[in-house]
Amino acid sequence: MRILATETTWGAASTITDLRAAGFAISTVQTGQELVDWADLGQIDAVIVDMDLPDLDWREAVKLIRSYRPHLPILVLMPPGSDSGARAAAFDLGADDVLLECADARESAARIGAVVRRRAGLAHPVLVSEGLAYDLVTCTATVRGQPLHLTPTESRLVEMLALRHGRTVEKEEMLAHLYDVEEGPEVKTIDVHVCKIRKKIADLGGGPGAISTAWGRGYGFGLNARDQARQLTEAALHFVERRRRKVAIREDRRQLA
């Protein structure tokens, strides 16, 4: 899972280090405004809002992110011993959960995973597509009960598709999710990864549609023709709405300047 967070305090940096060790891909920014902007535009599974932002009140950051991305999981990072009032305020503002600095990494990872799965509408952590099964808790894959050995990048790619079970994921979205912006590989890198994963699946007897192709767009996990047709219409409407929101945001900032 790719998580967006700020890394401006010792507590936040320590938590990020622990989460990276637990297998999360963490993208970091240095200010609250950058956090809001990237949460609105970036391809991420969740955002961690530190209470000690250098330029924004954390409450304002939570409200802005929730208004821009209604379904994006938000977790607020608080110091140990934070009072119940602060925790209640976080939930009232739209946060999905609260993390404590220096908490046990396994608990923090489990909290993030549970929130992301719940927001994705997944009742069970194991997703299956034509013999390929991916466990979102252990981040492991099997094909008809046999272990599927994936590289870390391949595993993140399958995880990303599994979390978006039943919908097309465009290649550009996959690229932005798998890599930080500064790494910037070409889009065809996604095709290379998928080709290698499919060969590994086929070698273990998995079906050819375990990872399906939406021609001219991207790939999917558990995706059928009806899903693709419906999503083409939704994608067009979503594109129009995103353009409208970007224009509105620029206009708001111009008036505040």
Side-chain angles (χ1 to χ4, degrees), residues 113-157:
V115 167
V116 171
R117 291 195 302 274
R118 184 170 68 246
R119 281 287 186 174
L122 302 175
H124 196 276
V126 179
L127 284 303
V128 180
S129 177
E130 289 200 23
L132 169 64
Y134 192 86
D135 190 322
L136 295 169
V137 172
T138 62
C139 299
T140 56
T142 58
V143 176
R144 306 197 184 283
Q146 305 173 79
L148 177 64
H149 300 292
L150 300 171
T151 67
T153 300
E154 291 170 350
S155 181
R156 288 200 301 272
L157 189 152

Side-chain angles (χ1 to χ4, degrees), residues 6-249:
T6 51
E7 194 173 16
T8 56
T9 64
W10 179 88
S14 177
T15 300
I16 289 169
T17 297
D18 289 342
L19 291 176
R20 280 181 172 142
F24 288 95
I26 312 287
S27 295
T28 59
V29 293
Q30 297 303 312
T31 68
Q33 189 59 60
E34 287 179 312
L35 189 73
V36 171
D37 291 341
W38 276 103
D40 180 38
L41 302 175
Q43 301 300 337
I44 54 176
D45 293 314
V47 60
I48 298 175
V49 179
D50 190 353
M51 287 187 73
D52 191 13
L53 296 173
D55 58 330
L56 281 181
D57 183 275
W58 69 272
R59 300 171 186 83
E60 183 66 17
V62 171
K63 287 193 294 184
L64 287 171
I65 294 169
R66 180 55 69 225
S67 67
Y68 297 156
R69 297 284 298 277
H71 304 296
L72 177 67
I74 300 174
L75 302 99
V76 177
L77 182 64
M78 297 187 174
S82 296
D83 60 47
S84 58
R87 296 195 297 273
F91 290 115
D92 288 342
L93 290 167
D96 296 282
D97 204 349
V98 171
L99 300 178
L100 296 180
E101 297 173 356
C102 305
D104 182 84
R106 291 171 299 178
E107 178 182 344
S108 296
R111 283 179 174 275
I112 295 171
V115 167
V116 171
R117 291 195 302 274
R118 184 170 68 246
R119 281 287 186 174
L122 302 175
H124 196 276
V126 179
L127 284 303
V128 180
S129 177
E130 289 200 23
L132 169 64
Y134 192 86
D135 190 322
L136 295 169
V137 172
T138 62
C139 299
T140 56
T142 58
V143 176
R144 306 197 184 283
Q146 305 173 79
L148 177 64
H149 300 292
L150 300 171
T151 67
T153 300
E154 291 170 350
S155 181
R156 288 200 301 272
L157 189 152
V158 176
E159 177 191 60
M160 181 194 185
L161 294 176
L163 278 170
R164 293 151 180 79
H165 188 278
R167 82 170 180 86
T168 299
V169 184
E170 296 186 3
K171 295 178 185 179
E172 290 78 7
E173 181 180 349
M174 297 168 72
L175 195 67
H177 184 93
L178 291 175
Y179 299 96
D180 283 328
V181 176
E182 58 268 18
E183 295 180 26
E186 297 180 5
V187 173
K188 65 181 180 182
T189 301
I190 298 299
D191 298 321
V192 174
H193 286 315
V194 171
C195 182
K196 290 180 178 178
I197 294 168
R198 281 174 167 166
K199 184 178 186 309
K200 292 179 180 181
I201 294 171
D203 289 344
L204 294 177
I211 295 178
S212 54
T213 300
W215 296 107
R217 297 183 62 204
Y219 300 98
F221 187 105
L223 185 64
N224 57 44
R226 180 181 297 176
D227 290 330
Q228 292 194 44
R230 172 178 52 81
Q231 289 163 25
L232 280 171
T233 301
E234 291 176 350
L237 294 174
H238 180 68
F239 175 78
V240 172
E241 175 60 18
R242 295 279 286 185
R243 288 291 298 272
R244 185 198 66 77
R245 257 198 317 172
K246 288 179 183 179
V247 170
I249 291 170

